[in-house]
Amino acid sequence: MEIIRRLLKNRISLFGLVLLVFFIFVALAAPWLAPPKEGADPYRIPRRGWRLEPTPPSREYPLGLTQGQYDIYYGLVWGTRTAFKVGIIVITFRALIGIILGSISAYYGGLLDEILMRFTDIFMSFPYLIGVVVFVAIFGPGLNNVIIPLICLGWMPYARMIRGNILAIKQEEYVLAARAIGVSDFKIITRHILPNAIFPVLIQASMQIGSIVITVSGLSFLGLGAPEGYADWGQMLSFARNWMLGEQGNVLKYWFTVVYPGLTMVLFVLAWNLIGDAFRDIMDPRIQA
Amino acid sequence: MLSYIIRRLLFLPLVLFGITVLIFALVSTLGPWTRVATFVPSPDAERHVNLEAMIKKYHLDDPPLKMYLRWLNNLFHGNLGWSQSSHMTVAEAIGHRFPATLELTLFAVLPVIVIGIILGVISAVHHNDPIDHSTRIFAIVLWSLPDFVLGLAVLMVGFGVLGWFPPGRLSSWAHLEVIKASFRAFTGMYTVDALLNGRLDIFWDALRHIIAPVITLSCLWWAFMLRVTRSSMLDVLNQDYVRTARAKGLAEPVVIKKHALRNALIPVTTVAGNMLLGLMGGVVIVETVFNYPGLGLLTSTAATRLDVPCVVGVALFYAVILVVVNLAVDILYSVIDPRVRLE
């Protein structure tokens, strides 16, 4: 509660919160904001024609139509859902793997700890974007084939963090007491240790949603993520690549194909970063003025 | 110290072993032609002629362990397979493209370190001033610009509207000059080579091409460097020895430069290591946006054309560089900060 109060007090983080609430609203209200056609897959952006050249914004299509007459407004609205879906899935599984491995490693210690941590080091010493690209090259493009390697190559910081936290509280009296009266290892970890070690990790993890969404969008932009026509921000921006230099004498003719999807992504990341930044200050006792 | 370095050096093959096993396992799930291309560094792999004969000729029907060992042996000899998307062996492709990426990375790293640190120090010294708040907001905004969005914006304005920063690596006239025999390639980095050859016109052309991708690539890291310097500087400024320095009447610039900054820079070295990791990922997108022919563009083109050997080769190449750089950063860390004992 204290944290939320301080988030609301700071004008910068308040702005971030407002932005984030707006995006959550758009994601939840997508079926009403941009109703899909009866029976059609709502994540497929409807095409309003078959011409390749983008159409500028009009009253009917407020944000215009991008390459291939895909509706930009529709794509952005449903893309918000895709963004949250991808972000939450990746974060959940990363945190889960990290927490499981980290707590086993810290709780049992010794050789197991050494092996698990070297294993973590191996995973950490790899630029993960490259890892994702390898995975996609082998299994083919697609949203799932981006999400899986992002999970597999992203759990390490959480494992390390939870390990550090647990090492610090492992010798606390209440843990020793629980062990002394014969509580099982599993119960000690889940009931006594994790509730006291997990909070910073969860915060850290959720603050990553912004950057994960952007990574996935970046891969879609390269043509390695979502297939053409799927409501995904990065994919929408990749449509703009052929048109961003406009035509002779009118360079900015197709500005709307770049500006709207680009702005959406910038605001989304900005929201997460503003909140994350405020969190860092709140959590760090040294910076407290 | 020495034992630490040796342990880290021993860890290096372990990392590479892990990565190669993983990749080998993944590659084994592929169709026959992709597998052939992964193991055979010759144009044969491209001409889908006689699968049976190829498998016989290169012993591709051996048991997995034998195959893996032979593949590893090949890797040690720089034999990374055949790249169908660039029509040459993967090793050649990497050799061609690497100087371009190195040039880009070097151009990106230096300004980041200098500008990031300066802004960070200013921000910390003016803690909670308007200056601090504005650099902070500046950093967060920079941080929030996805590289491909920023890249498109820079390209649209810098090239489309202003005509300053063309995409690619060289203009076509300069490219014709560069491939002439009279132009000696010392490093493969065009800006450096042009200067060594005394060709200012080519230097200028190469510079014009590299500025936009460099800005796009390094924006995020300016922000990051700023933040890290700021918080570590704030930390140091509260230390007793800084108070002592002030108390004995030293001028404020001396306190900041001589006493505080030197200690504040210690965490910054770790950021430098992370930065290299980040830049390696970043070049994939940035080079693609600006059509800059380096390893990143090679990777993304290869990936979209499902050219597995090429992607795998680049990944292995990266992994080696990365492990070495991480080691170097750790050692540097202990040299800068005697309190850090590497054990």
Side-chain angles (χ1 to χ4, degrees), chain A residues 19 32 37 50 57 61 78 90 105 140 143 147 196 200 209 263 272 282:
Chain A
L19 270 179
W32 293 278
K37 239 199 230 128
W50 304 101
Y61 307 117
W78 283 87
V90 172
S105 187
L143 219 45
I147 290 177
N196 291 300
I209 288 184
L263 199 64
W272 285 103
I282 292 172

Side-chain angles (χ1 to χ4, degrees), chain B residues 7-63:
Chain B
R7 261 192 26 181
R8 285 296 302 259
L9 283 176
L10 289 179
F11 184 61
L12 195 144
L14 194 67
V15 170
L16 294 179
F17 173 73
I19 292 172
T20 49
V21 168
L22 199 69
I23 287 178
F24 185 77
L26 288 176
V27 168
S28 317
T29 65
L30 290 170
W33 277 112
T34 334
R35 258 181 12 233
V36 167
T38 311
F39 299 119
V40 177
S42 88
D44 289 355
E46 208 164 347
R47 291 183 234 116
H48 291 199
V49 272
N50 191 341
L51 188 59
E52 290 291 322
M54 294 269 296
I55 291 175
K56 271 260 151 46
K57 187 174 165 199
Y58 293 98
H59 308 284
L60 298 180
D61 48 359
D62 283 347

Side-chain angles (χ1 to χ4, degrees), chain A residues 53-54 58 72 81 139 145 188 209 247 260 265-266 270:
Chain A
E53 191 194 338
S58 59
I72 296 183
R81 270 204 175 191
F139 292 105
N145 289 348
I188 293 181
I209 288 184
E247 55 179 26
Y260 291 128
M265 279 183 264
V266 172
L270 190 65

Side-chain angles (χ1 to χ4, degrees), chain A residues 19 210-211 214 262-275, chain B residues 136-147 149-150 219-220 223:
Chain A
L19 270 179
S211 69
I214 289 313
L263 199 64
T264 311
M265 279 183 264
V266 172
L267 289 179
F268 186 79
V269 198
L270 190 65
W272 285 103
N273 285 350
L274 288 175
I275 300 171
Chain B
R136 186 170 173 182
I137 293 174
F138 171 70
I140 296 180
V141 171
L142 273 194
W143 202 331
S144 307
L145 293 173
D147 40 13
V149 176
L150 180 66
C219 240
L220 181 113

Side-chain angles (χ1 to χ4, degrees), chain A residues 54-58 61-66 69-74 256 260:
Chain A
T55 316
S58 59
Y61 307 117
L63 304 186
L65 305 171
T66 191
Q69 308 305 305
Y70 287 104
D71 190 335
I72 296 183
Y73 170 74
Y74 187 97
F256 50 93
Y260 291 128

Side-chain angles (χ1 to χ4, degrees), chain B:
Chain B
M1 174 79 187
L2 191 68
S3 81
Y4 175 81
I5 296 177
I6 292 172
R7 261 192 26 181
R8 285 296 302 259
L9 283 176
L10 289 179
F11 184 61
L12 195 144
L14 194 67
V15 170
L16 294 179
F17 173 73
I19 292 172
T20 49
V21 168
L22 199 69
I23 287 178
F24 185 77
L26 288 176
V27 168
S28 317
T29 65
L30 290 170
W33 277 112
T34 334
R35 258 181 12 233
V36 167
T38 311
F39 299 119
V40 177
S42 88
D44 289 355
E46 208 164 347
R47 291 183 234 116
H48 291 199
V49 272
N50 191 341
L51 188 59
E52 290 291 322
M54 294 269 296
I55 291 175
K56 271 260 151 46
K57 187 174 165 199
Y58 293 98
H59 308 284
L60 298 180
D61 48 359
D62 283 347
L65 184 66
K66 212 170 164 189
M67 284 265 292
Y68 172 72
L69 290 177
R70 177 154 355 92
W71 180 57
L72 218 53
N73 186 32
N74 280 345
L75 293 186
F76 276 119
H77 292 96
N79 170 354
L80 297 166
W82 181 259
S83 164
Q84 306 195 354
S85 63
S86 39
H87 309 289
M88 51 177 106
T89 68
V90 175
E92 279 168 359
I94 293 178
H96 273 292
R97 301 294 192 94
F98 178 61
T101 298
L102 184 65
E103 189 176 24
L104 188 60
T105 319
L106 289 180
F107 267 91
V109 165
L110 285 178
V112 166
I113 294 178
V114 176
I115 298 177
I117 290 178
I118 292 178
L119 287 181
V121 171
I122 292 177
S123 190
V125 171
H126 296 269
H127 185 42
N128 279 340
D129 278 10
I131 298 183
D132 182 30
H133 287 306
S134 44
T135 46
R136 186 170 173 182
I137 293 174
F138 171 70
I140 296 180
V141 171
L142 273 194
W143 202 331
S144 307
L145 293 173
D147 40 13
F148 52 101
V149 176
L150 180 66
L152 285 187
V154 170
L155 198 56
M156 220 166 139
V157 178
F159 178 55
V161 178
L162 303 169
W164 290 349
F165 309 123
R169 204 176 163 207
L170 280 180
S171 306
S172 39
W173 66 264
H175 197 79
L176 289 177
E177 288 291 311
V178 166
I179 52 177
K180 275 183 191 160
S182 59
F183 187 90
R184 285 192 54 193
F186 296 96
T187 57
M189 297 187 269
Y190 289 150
T191 47
V192 179
D193 284 354
L195 283 183
L196 289 177
N197 281 287
R199 293 292 303 264
L200 281 179
D201 50 342
I202 297 179
F203 171 75
W204 175 240
D205 189 62
L207 199 63
R208 251 167 46 119
H209 283 83
I210 211 173
I211 287 177
V214 162
I215 291 176
T216 312
L217 190 60
S218 52
C219 240
L220 181 113
W221 294 96
W222 287 354
F224 198 57
M225 194 57 102
L226 191 164
R227 295 284 296 157
V228 173
T229 317
R230 174 180 175 270
S231 67
S232 100
M233 193 72 185
L234 279 179
D235 220 32
V236 171
L237 284 176
N238 287 325
Q239 300 279 332
D240 285 341
Y241 67 86
V242 172
R243 197 168 310 137
T244 313
R246 281 192 184 132
K248 70 181 181 186
L250 289 182
E252 190 64 17
V254 178
V255 175
I256 287 169
K257 272 189 221 141
K258 290 263 163 76
H259 291 78
L261 183 59
R262 289 193 182 173
N263 283 298
L265 285 184
I266 292 167
V268 173
T269 36
T270 16
V271 179
N274 285 334
M275 181 162 80
L276 210 91
L277 213 153
L279 289 181
M280 281 180 176
V283 288
V284 177
I285 284 173
V286 171
E287 288 183 1
T288 311
V289 170
F290 289 99
N291 201 16
Y292 182 91
L295 282 182
L297 186 59
L298 181 71
T299 318
S300 77
T301 323
T304 44
R305 295 194 195 159
L306 304 183
D307 178 3
V308 177
C310 187
V311 174
V312 164
V314 175
L316 289 171
F317 182 72
Y318 270 146
V320 175
I321 293 187
L322 204 79
V323 176
V324 173
V325 167
N326 274 341
L327 176 66
V329 169
D330 278 358
I331 293 172
L332 192 71
Y333 203 67
S334 78
V335 172
I336 298 176
D337 186 355
R339 285 171 307 182
V340 176
R341 299 240 184 291
L342 300 177
E343 266 149 26

Side-chain angles (χ1 to χ4, degrees), chain A:
Chain A
M1 273 303 98
E2 167 68 13
I3 290 177
I4 298 190
R5 199 179 58 77
R6 288 185 58 181
L7 277 182
L8 290 175
K9 219 177 67 184
N10 183 329
R11 247 178 305 166
I12 299 179
S13 54
L14 180 67
F15 178 61
L17 266 181
V18 170
L19 270 179
L20 187 61
V21 169
F22 170 72
F23 277 110
I24 293 175
F25 167 76
V26 171
L28 291 177
W32 293 278
L33 290 174
K37 239 199 230 128
E38 202 71 41
D41 176 7
Y43 286 102
R44 293 219 64 85
I45 309 173
R47 301 182 74 166
R48 315 292 188 191
W50 304 101
R51 214 153 42 91
L52 208 56
E53 191 194 338
T55 316
S58 59
R59 180 168 297 172
E60 201 179 350
Y61 307 117
L63 304 186
L65 305 171
T66 191
Q67 172 180 309
Q69 308 305 305
Y70 287 104
D71 190 335
I72 296 183
Y73 170 74
Y74 187 97
L76 292 183
V77 169
W78 283 87
T80 314
R81 270 204 175 191
T82 311
F84 277 106
K85 226 169 58 179
V86 167
I88 290 171
I89 291 176
V90 172
I91 278 306
T92 312
F93 282 97
R94 276 186 183 182
L96 211 63
I97 298 176
I99 288 169
I100 293 174
L101 290 184
S103 34
I104 291 177
S105 187
Y107 186 76
Y108 293 103
L111 186 64
L112 189 64
D113 182 31
E114 183 71 18
I115 293 173
L116 281 176
M117 282 301 113
R118 291 295 80 78
F119 188 65
T120 315
D121 284 346
I122 292 183
F123 269 85
M124 270 196 132
S125 56
F126 202 68
Y128 79 102
L129 198 62
I130 303 289
V132 178
V133 172
V134 171
F135 195 88
V136 171
I138 290 178
F139 292 105
L143 219 45
N144 289 342
N145 289 348
V146 169
I147 290 177
I148 294 169
L150 273 181
I151 294 170
C152 297
L153 296 172
W155 50 269
M156 298 80 71
Y158 309 127
R160 283 196 168 179
M161 227 170 126
I162 202 105
R163 176 173 172 274
N165 292 351
I166 291 183
L167 283 181
I169 60 169
K170 200 170 109 179
Q171 298 300 332
E172 293 275 342
E173 274 161 12
Y174 61 88
V175 178
L176 296 179
R179 198 183 292 172
I181 58 170
V183 180
S184 71
D185 283 353
F186 180 73
K187 246 189 177 155
I188 293 181
I189 294 179
T190 53
R191 292 281 170 78
H192 298 271
I193 294 183
L194 277 185
N196 291 300
I198 209 171
F199 185 62
V201 179
L202 290 186
I203 299 244
Q204 190 87 4
S206 53
M207 287 306 124
Q208 294 261 296
I209 288 184
S211 69
I212 288 170
V213 166
I214 289 313
T215 308
V216 174
S217 298
L219 290 160
S220 294
F221 174 77
L222 293 178
L224 302 176
E228 183 179 329
Y230 193 89
D232 174 282
W233 295 338
Q235 204 259 133
M236 299 209 55
L237 199 59
S238 76
F239 282 136
R241 276 174 69 187
N242 299 328
W243 306 96
M244 66 190 166
L245 295 180
E247 55 179 26
Q248 286 265 283
N250 188 3
V251 191
L252 296 179
K253 188 173 177 200
Y254 305 109
W255 59 275
F256 50 93
T257 59
V258 178
V259 170
Y260 291 128
L263 199 64
T264 311
M265 279 183 264
V266 172
L267 289 179
F268 186 79
V269 198
L270 190 65
W272 285 103
N273 285 350
L274 288 175
I275 300 171
D277 196 58
F279 256 126
R280 233 185 318 281
D281 277 8
I282 292 172
M283 310 281 282
D284 188 348
R286 281 173 315 189
I287 311 184
Q288 252 148 54

